[in-house]
């Protein structure tokens, strides 16, 4: 559920002191919070990943646009992340400017009686609770998905028969030039775990949802029921990135993996969950290499035994 975008091949920061110094000076001058050599393991639900050379935390669209514009004009790769709930970062880290939409971009408000706006960095769980408090129905399916609003729109997050495309009507964004824009309706290109933002290189800054008036008690009851199902069936006690593989047409990835006797399979600290085979978990000290090797071996065995190809849902970046 994390938006990730990168520009064309750019200058590395690690061995380019002039560019790095210029980037740091820019961030300081714009009063943008940032950290150098920030461990990405602290910013992903997998708890895996080496350091981001520079990680910036913009406080709104203007700062985000300024960062993206600076990176484009100076040949710096820019990688966009949210809550890191669908992201696996390389063990060597990310030699780029990582732009993180966090709590500094997490406003949620009513636009009208049934339309809700949320900034990209707001947690999806917070948005669900806001909707319930306003007696608005349609987002119950998303309660418990550990992503940000921007990430949920980016990948058209879904669960229990619902998807973001059922309620998402518009996204505001910053394009590759650092300018504001938006997409709405069919322009969003929403399909299974996909949106137009996979391909257009824009950074989602805010989303608009059209919900329906409902009964507050019934909405909250349904949210709690679905959350209970998550806790019963999913290995929430371990770090992971949620469902590891996309659902193959007519099948379920977890069922196929279990059918092939892979429940509990391990590589280093990475393991196919014994609770739900659709999840690869970090049992402690797992590396990106561990996860990728385990995913490769699972996909290979499933294909050999069933002829069905598994495609990773988790996004990998370095």
């Amino acid at each position: 559920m994390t938006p990730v975008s990168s520009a064309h091949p750019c200058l590395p920061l690690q061995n380019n002191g002039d560019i790095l110094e210029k980037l740091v000076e820019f961030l300081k001058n714009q009063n943008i919070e940032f950290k150098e050599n920030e461990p990405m393991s602290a910013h992903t639900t997998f708890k895996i990943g080496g350091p981001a050379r520079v990680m910036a935390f913009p406080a709104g669209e203007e700062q985000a646009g300024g960062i993206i514009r600076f990176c484009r004009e100076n040949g710096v790769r820019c990688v966009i992340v949210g809550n890191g709930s669908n992201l696996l970062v390389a063990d060597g880290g990310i030699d780029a400017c990582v732009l993180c939409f966090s709590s500094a971009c997490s406003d949620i408000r009513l636009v009208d009686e049934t339309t809700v706006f949320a900034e990209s960095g707001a947690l999806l769980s917070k948005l669900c609770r806001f909707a319930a408090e306003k007696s608005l129905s349609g987002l119950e399916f998303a309660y418990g998905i550990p992503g940000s609003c921007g990430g949920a729109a980016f990948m058209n997050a879904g669960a229990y028969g619902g998807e973001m495309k059922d309620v998402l009507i518009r996204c505001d964004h910053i394009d590759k030039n650092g300018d504001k824009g938006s997409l709405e309706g069919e322009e969003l290109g929403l399909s299974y775990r996909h949106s137009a933002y996979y391909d257009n290189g824009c950074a989602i800054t805010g989303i608009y949802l059209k919900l329906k008036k409902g009964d507050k008690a019934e909405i909250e009851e349904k949210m709690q029921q679905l959350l209970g199902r998550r806790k019963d069936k999913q290995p929430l006690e371990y770090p992971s990135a949620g469902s590891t593989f996309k659902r193959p047409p007519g099948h379920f990835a977890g069922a196929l993996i279990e059918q092939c006797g892979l429940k509990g399979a391990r590589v280093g600290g990475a393991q196919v969950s014994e609770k739900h085979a659709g999840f690869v978990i970090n049992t402690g000290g797992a590396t990106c290499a561990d996860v990728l090797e385990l995913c490769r071996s699972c996909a290979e065995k499933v294909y050999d035994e069933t002829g069905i190809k598994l495609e990773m849902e988790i996004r990998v970046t370095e």
Side-chain angles (χ1 to χ4, degrees), residues 86-262:
N86 195 46
L87 182 64
L88 178 62
V89 175
D91 298 315
I94 306 175
D95 186 17
C97 176
V98 176
L99 193 162
C100 180
F101 287 106
S102 60
S103 58
C105 296
S106 60
D107 182 47
I108 300 173
R109 64 179 184 270
L110 281 175
V111 177
D112 58 38
E113 286 190 350
T114 57
T115 305
V116 179
F117 168 81
E119 287 189 304
S120 186
L123 293 179
L124 197 54
S125 56
K126 180 183 175 183
L127 176 60
C128 292
R129 290 193 295 269
F130 178 91
E133 183 64 30
K134 302 298 182 183
S135 300
L136 294 174
S137 177
L139 203 56
E140 293 90 334
F141 73 87
Y143 193 55
I145 295 178
S148 65
C149 290
F154 178 84
M155 68 169 295
N156 185 28
Y160 302 115
E163 293 179 287
M164 290 299 289
K165 73 179 180 66
D166 300 331
V167 292
L168 183 66
I169 58 173
R170 170 179 162 177
C171 287
D172 290 341
H173 62 246
I174 302 294
D175 67 19
K176 292 183 288 186
N177 296 317
D179 298 324
K180 296 179 183 180
S182 65
L183 294 178
E184 53 187 297
E186 293 185 359
E187 293 176 331
L188 293 166
L190 299 170
S191 59
Y192 178 64
R193 301 299 177 266
H194 188 272
S195 75
Y197 289 96
Y198 263 76
D199 310 308
N200 65 16
C202 299
I204 298 171
T205 57
I207 68 173
Y208 295 79
L209 309 176
K210 178 59 74 173
L211 304 176
K212 297 179 181 179
K213 281 289 187 181
D215 181 82
K216 182 178 178 181
E218 291 179 1
I219 293 168
E220 291 179 338
E221 181 181 6
K222 185 174 182 180
M223 285 167 56
Q224 291 304 320
Q225 286 177 349
L226 294 180
L227 184 61
R229 288 173 64 180
R230 286 183 184 279
K231 290 179 178 179
D232 288 343
K233 297 179 180 297
Q234 299 178 8
L236 303 181
E237 64 272 27
Y238 289 98
S240 78
S243 297
T244 306
F245 296 97
K246 293 181 179 180
R247 185 177 67 244
H251 300 274
F252 292 97
L256 291 169
I257 292 167
E258 183 173 357
Q259 174 186 323
C260 293
L262 293 166

Side-chain angles (χ1 to χ4, degrees), residues 48 88-91 267 270 286-295:
I48 292 173
L88 178 62
V89 175
D91 298 315
V267 172
T287 64
C288 177
D290 291 341
V291 173
L292 291 178
E293 175 57 25
L294 181 57
C295 290

Side-chain angles (χ1 to χ4, degrees), residues 24-134:
V24 168
E25 182 180 0
F26 167 80
L27 295 171
K28 287 180 177 178
N29 289 340
Q30 298 298 314
N31 294 315
I32 299 173
E33 181 186 354
F34 73 95
K35 296 179 180 180
E36 294 189 62
N37 297 313
E38 175 69 3
M40 287 302 297
S41 57
H43 298 277
T44 63
T45 57
F46 234 143
K47 305 302 180 187
I48 292 173
R53 186 61 188 88
V54 175
M55 192 168 197
F57 305 88
E61 280 188 329
E62 294 300 327
Q63 288 191 349
I67 294 168
I68 292 171
R69 192 174 300 111
F70 174 92
C71 289
R72 179 173 179 79
E73 292 174 352
N74 291 276
V76 175
R77 187 164 70 104
C78 185
V79 176
I80 315 297
V81 303
N83 195 47
S85 61
N86 195 46
L87 182 64
L88 178 62
V89 175
D91 298 315
I94 306 175
D95 186 17
C97 176
V98 176
L99 193 162
C100 180
F101 287 106
S102 60
S103 58
C105 296
S106 60
D107 182 47
I108 300 173
R109 64 179 184 270
L110 281 175
V111 177
D112 58 38
E113 286 190 350
T114 57
T115 305
V116 179
F117 168 81
E119 287 189 304
S120 186
L123 293 179
L124 197 54
S125 56
K126 180 183 175 183
L127 176 60
C128 292
R129 290 193 295 269
F130 178 91
E133 183 64 30
K134 302 298 182 183

